[in-house]
Amino acid sequence: MVLASLAGALVGAPMLLPETTAADRLPRRSLARRSSRFVRIDGIEVHHEVHGPRDAAADTTSDAPTLLLSHHFYGSTAVWDRLVPHLAERHRIVAWDRPGFGLTERPVRGQRPINPYTRAAAARLGWSLLDTLGVDRAVLVGASAGGTNVLEMYAQAPERVRALILLAPAITGDVGAPPPLRPLLRSAQVRRIAPRVVERLVGRVTRERSTRSWADPSRAEEQDLAPYRDLLRVQGWSRGLWEVMTAEPPPDLRSVLRRIDVPTLVVTGAQDRTIQPRWGRWVAANVPTGRFALIDDCGHVPHQERPTELAAVLRPFLDEVLTG
């Protein structure tokens, strides 16, 4: 019964599944890119990338405004590759992998006093990463579940946030098992077999799966599919994903929205079927400083599907809030 419910919850999640077997998994660092950086924070090795003007990318004391990019569920730093060139000429871009994703270390839960896979822990880690880079204040940019992350960061340290950019943000609910099942799924007995169950559900990373949330899947190229293939080649990917999905009850950040007092831009794709545009409008309307922008002919991941159009929306907003 438990496994049947578990399988149903996992199949219902928008997971992208690898072609490789457990024996083919690779150490995290072996998948690093030329732009990859690793830093140990609070006992966790955090993978991130820094882009921008030459001094901004190399010098942690640069005056270039910093944008922290927080990816969507099952994403990684690589999902921002199409957007970064549009913004890096004038801003320092810090993209990072949250615990459970990408090339950031997946510590064993239970061996640490604080569960690193909770939203609060991920938010603290985001601030600690900026501290390591010498950044006091930043614009926080979050896509879907990354929107949840940056809202949690805002709640922890609103004085450090210059502005918020929320791309189809997840405000309530998330990916994973139904809330009533989560305590059972966190039990030691189920946790021992959970990664193997996730592995048994694997399939192939196809264009259709990888672009399910796009308005026009034909736009996707190999570089758009690669992040998902690489993400699920990492040793321990299934355990990390399981930990994130069962760490805690789903979020409800509606009360945070009302407290936001920094410029906030909510952007949604007009053909977003994952988080429909009306929810983006609702979020913007419930933020005292909120604004809303709709990108035509675009699905759930505008930073991948329509980066040029997204940048055209973001640039004037950033110019206003960072120079005004």
Side-chain angles (χ1 to χ4, degrees):
M1 180 67 177
V2 171
L3 292 182
S5 299
L6 167 60
L10 291 177
V11 170
M15 292 175 57
L16 301 174
L17 303 168
E19 301 160 337
T20 54
T21 65
D24 298 320
R25 305 291 186 258
L26 301 172
R28 292 176 299 106
R29 279 181 169 262
S30 69
L31 292 169
R33 310 195 299 176
R34 291 183 61 184
S35 52
S36 290
R37 296 184 179 188
F38 294 89
V39 60
R40 186 160 293 279
I41 303 173
D42 298 332
I44 299 175
E45 190 172 62
V46 178
H47 174 253
H48 62 288
E49 298 181 3
V50 181
H51 305 274
R54 181 174 300 177
D55 63 332
D59 180 8
T60 59
T61 64
S62 169
D63 292 331
T66 296
L67 278 59
L68 179 73
L69 310 185
S70 186
H71 58 77
H72 53 266
F73 192 83
Y74 59 73
S76 65
T77 58
V79 301
W80 299 104
D81 283 356
R82 288 192 178 275
L83 179 63
V84 165
H86 293 280
L87 302 177
E89 289 186 5
R90 299 177 58 184
H91 308 93
R92 179 165 56 161
I93 310 298
V94 179
W96 75 301
D97 293 338
R98 300 193 305 277
F101 301 98
L103 304 184
T104 287
E105 185 177 6
R106 294 160 172 78
V108 176
R109 198 169 93 190
Q111 296 182 353
R112 305 173 58 83
I114 298 175
N115 181 354
Y117 298 99
T118 65
R119 293 181 296 272
R124 286 191 295 270
L125 198 63
W127 284 124
S128 295
L129 173 61
L130 291 178
D131 289 339
T132 299
L133 296 174
V135 177
D136 180 51
R137 300 181 70 222
V139 176
L140 305 184
V141 183
S144 193
T148 305
N149 174 244
V150 300
L151 286 171
E152 295 273 4
M153 290 182 66
Y154 177 86
Q156 290 182 7
E159 72 282 357
R160 299 187 62 179
V161 180
R162 301 184 69 171
L164 287 167
I165 296 174
L166 307 173
L167 309 179
I171 304 301
T172 62
D174 59 0
V175 177
L181 275 179
R182 295 190 183 205
L184 177 61
L185 298 182
R186 289 195 293 267
S187 68
Q189 295 87 343
V190 175
R191 284 175 58 196
R192 278 197 295 270
I193 65 171
R196 294 198 295 275
V197 173
V198 175
E199 296 280 354
R200 288 289 299 272
L201 296 174
V202 300
R204 299 183 69 242
V205 175
T206 64
R207 174 181 294 273
E208 188 277 330
R209 285 188 180 215
S210 302
T211 59
R212 186 174 295 165
S213 62
W214 290 44
D216 183 357
S218 68
R219 295 190 182 108
E221 300 178 5
E222 175 57 29
Q223 76 173 91
D224 301 305
L225 311 183
Y228 305 112
R229 292 193 180 114
D230 289 345
L231 172 69
L232 302 182
R233 293 170 62 199
V234 178
Q235 288 178 351
W237 74 266
S238 56
R239 179 175 57 80
L241 191 63
W242 173 260
E243 296 288 10
V244 173
M245 292 170 62
T246 61
E248 58 191 331
D252 186 343
L253 297 170
R254 287 175 289 189
S255 63
V256 175
L257 300 180
R258 305 183 192 102
R259 302 199 304 267
I260 295 174
D261 63 359
V262 299
T264 300
L265 177 63
V266 181
V267 184
T268 299
Q271 283 71 44
D272 190 340
R273 296 179 298 274
T274 304
I275 300 178
Q276 296 180 7
R278 61 191 176 95
W279 292 114
R281 293 184 186 276
W282 182 90
V283 171
N286 280 270
V287 174
T289 55
R291 313 177 196 182
F292 179 76
L294 190 71
I295 298 182
D296 291 332
D297 193 21
C298 180
H300 186 56
V301 286
H303 46 297
Q304 288 190 290
E305 186 177 8
R306 304 290 271 173
T308 301
E309 292 76 8
L310 176 59
V313 172
L314 299 188
R315 284 198 201 98
F317 175 76
L318 290 169
D319 288 345
E320 176 187 343
V321 302
L322 295 176
T323 61

